[in-house]
Amino acid sequence: MAEHTDAVIEIRDVSKLFGPVAAVDGVSFGIIRGEFFSLLGPSGCGKTTLLRMLAGFEQPSRGEILIDSQPMAGVPANKRPTNMVFQSYAIFPHLNVEENVGYGLRNRKLGKDETRSRVVAALDLVKLSGYGKRGAHQLSGGQRQRVALARALVCRPKVLLLDEPLGALDKKLREEMQLELRQLQRNVGITFVFVTHDQEEALTLSDRIAVMSSGKVLQIARSDDLYENPNCREVAEFIGNMNLFEGKVAAVAQGNVTIATAAGTFTVPHVAPIGAGNAVHLAIRPEKLALSADKPAPGLNAVKGRVIAQTYLGDRRQFLTQIDGMAKPLAISRQISGAESPISTDSDVWVTWPPQLGRLLTS
Amino acid sequence: MIQRRPDWLAGYGLLSPAIIIMAVMMVTPLLAMVALSFWTQQGFELDRSFTLANYFALVEPSSEPTYWMGIPFPLTYPVPAILLIKSLAMSLAITLAVIALAYPMAYFLAFHVRGQKALWLVLLTIPFWTSYLLRVFAWKIMLGFNGAINSGLKSLGILTEPLSFLLYNPLAVMITLIHAWVAFAVLPIFVSLDKIDRSYLEAATDLGDSRLRRFLQVTLPLSAPGTIGAALLVFIPTVGDYVTPTLVGGPSGTMIGNLIQELFLKQNNAPLGAAVSITMMVTIAAIVTLFLWLIGFRRLRSRAR
């Protein structure tokens, strides 16, 4: 219950239907005051629709949304305590930077000096002091993004909604802006709800992430938890790279499960009760796998394969290893330290991992 | 090395058909008109010696002013000045009415029609499938003494005697011209409204704007280029129109175009007609320039990008 009293947004069984299609399908969760919360998912998963319902541009077909304990049904977008940073930034082309940033303040009964000082402070916050008189068309992509941020933050919303705001920037600038955005969020302490399809971006920025697919929320967790302990195949495959062994539960003992797969029998930790014979997946991250030419020591999970390709990635090397009985080759990622022995393509190798690093996925 | 022709040459190359047509069909007659306005008509002959007499005739002062609508015109030959002022005033009213009618239509098309915009645009052009003259005559039938409006109201028992003020006056001219030009004005306004990124409107709402405020602060300024274009498109040609006043204007509905036509064709004084034409053109150009300067057109254009 502690989490509920501190929730700035509560989403209760919200669905949004467009004709017969449910863009958002029975979603319930809370967003904690002051956190950086991301909605992550492939395009068409309903994350933007959910964000637009928070902003008030769409109305839920079912369920309700509470912001600061106030039901939002019937509250129009212009009366909500939220502000939005649009994917296209939507910087008004007929106004200069200052007028853009001050736009939301004109709708409030503020004194001229108050408005002026808040605009200056907001421009300062996004490192655009001195740009006030620039026209909208004189700004670069990154600057437009900052203006959009300043324009929303100057209104001091309870929740800032960001709709893929970094999508239009190039990689380098995007990484810079990610850092800045995170810093900014800590400084202002406003709750950010951030929509993205970029899992790396979500992992970098967020306190918590909700992974969405086909209108449903699959898992809500902290970044590291999401990466280490995905609760289903879809999340496991969407966040980072994941190797999957399909198999059946062969034996259950002492918090460990032995599963039989086409590539061999492996052990994986699992505490929840599960019956023998259940169809499951064993998931293991590429960087948790080790390669060696020699037969491994007992106690490790091990499988024999043949290296079919390797890619040099600067700081690490990625190997693809074909395993007998498996359709997809295993991906193995190895840090390059300079000390490891080289492995040539087409050579036979052992792929090993300690049992506790694998994860059992039941769905 | 590949010798490349400079870009400007290629540009003029592409423009040359248009430039040639403009030169032959527009600039040459215009220059002829300017020349004509400095000559004098002597019976059936033209006296080709340079004179400013035609222009002087338009502004020659008189001690006894002629009054029109309460405005004194202290001129010996006040007709052109009065008709010019009257035409400008009528055109201004027509332009305002056209924009007031066209803007909502364009707004509807741009924001509330989904998927079938092309169909609506075609529907808008249907009036143009008939000749302009037919449309003017149609208004004559509508507004006439025994026309549709009068007989309709009479058969409904609202009137016993037909209204005589419907036809053959400036109002009839204005109604006809407004109807003729509305569809032309819808298109440029529609284009500039349709071009507005919907996220601007959402951003305005998100920042607290009511619908009205959003319209005044965002939609209207962003559609200004098209709206101004539409206004000029209507204002400039209607000042000099003479067909409509001839057909539905009657004596009181005369405009400057009628005077020019008369000077050229009936009064056999082409040089004076040319001088009136040139004066009208310069006046319109001056008004348009002043208008554009006042609203800061350069600024608008640069921001619309």
Side-chain angles (χ1 to χ4, degrees), chain B residues 2-305:
Chain B
I2 301 165
Q3 287 288 325
R4 289 193 56 172
R5 266 176 302 165
D7 280 350
W8 63 265
L9 200 65
Y12 281 113
L14 288 169
L15 276 175
S16 59
I19 292 175
I20 291 166
I21 288 173
M22 290 287 272
V24 175
M25 312 288 282
M26 220 186 112
V27 177
T28 317
L30 191 63
L31 289 177
M33 189 84 126
V34 173
L36 187 62
S37 72
F38 292 118
W39 296 341
T40 329
Q41 188 81 35
Q42 300 287 353
F44 288 107
E45 299 294 315
L46 274 175
D47 177 358
R48 290 199 162 82
S49 50
F50 180 84
T51 171
L52 285 172
N54 292 320
Y55 289 99
F56 182 68
L58 300 181
V59 292
E60 190 181 350
S62 146
S63 49
E64 284 172 38
T66 312
Y67 286 90
W68 176 77
M69 304 283 287
I71 312 162
F73 285 84
L75 302 169
T76 329
Y77 181 42
V79 178
I82 291 174
L83 284 182
L84 183 60
I85 299 286
K86 181 180 167 193
S87 302
L88 289 171
M90 281 170 72
S91 286
L92 188 68
I94 290 164
T95 307
L96 291 176
V98 164
I99 297 296
L101 287 172
Y103 200 97
M105 278 197 237
Y107 189 92
F108 171 76
L109 262 179
F111 291 112
H112 295 288
V113 176
R114 306 216 184 280
Q116 306 216 308
K117 287 186 187 183
L119 176 70
W120 280 86
L121 286 174
V122 170
L123 288 177
L124 264 177
T125 64
I126 283 184
F128 297 99
W129 298 5
T130 62
S131 120
Y132 173 63
L133 271 179
L134 278 180
R135 274 176 284 140
V136 178
F137 275 115
W139 275 106
K140 221 169 158 162
I141 293 166
M142 287 287 291
L143 301 171
F145 195 74
N146 285 318
I149 292 178
N150 274 331
S151 44
L153 289 176
K154 252 166 63 181
S155 66
L156 286 172
I158 296 167
L159 290 177
T160 45
E161 283 302 302
L163 301 168
S164 56
F165 61 81
L166 290 177
L167 194 58
Y168 300 126
N169 59 32
L171 189 68
V173 176
M174 281 158 64
I175 290 174
T176 310
L177 281 173
I178 289 164
H179 172 248
W181 284 97
V182 161
F184 283 112
V186 170
L187 290 175
I189 301 174
F190 164 72
V191 169
S192 67
L193 281 172
D194 200 46
K195 229 174 48 182
I196 297 175
D197 190 336
R198 296 304 181 265
S199 66
Y200 294 145
L201 306 182
E202 286 190 342
T205 303
D206 187 63
L207 292 165
D209 273 6
S210 62
R211 292 172 72 91
L212 177 66
R213 205 180 147 80
R214 178 180 81 182
F215 174 74
L216 294 175
Q217 299 285 340
V218 178
T219 315
L220 199 57
L222 288 180
S223 65
T227 311
I228 291 162
L232 297 182
L233 191 74
V234 176
F235 180 75
I236 296 170
T238 48
V239 176
D241 192 86
Y242 74 93
V243 177
T244 312
T246 306
L247 294 175
V248 299
S252 69
T254 325
M255 290 172 79
I256 187 95
N258 302 100
L259 175 70
I260 295 168
Q261 181 204 20
E262 238 187 63
L263 287 172
F264 269 96
L265 301 179
K266 293 191 185 142
Q267 297 190 16
N268 191 26
N269 195 347
L272 186 59
V276 174
S277 302
I278 300 292
T279 310
M280 176 185 91
M281 231 178 69
V282 170
T283 312
I284 293 174
I287 289 173
V288 168
T289 313
L290 184 74
F291 170 68
L292 290 181
W293 178 75
L294 277 177
I295 57 165
F297 191 62
R298 283 178 62 87
R299 202 178 59 144
L300 270 176
R301 205 176 46 175
S302 73
R303 285 183 174 186
R305 249 184 285 155

Side-chain angles (χ1 to χ4, degrees), chain A residues 151-173:
Chain A
R151 185 176 69 179
L153 285 172
V154 83
C155 302
R156 296 180 187 163
K158 292 199 168 111
V159 180
L160 184 71
L161 308 169
L162 302 104
D163 185 11
E164 307 223 13
L166 307 179
L169 305 179
D170 61 66
K171 190 171 174 354
K172 186 126 181 117
L173 191 57

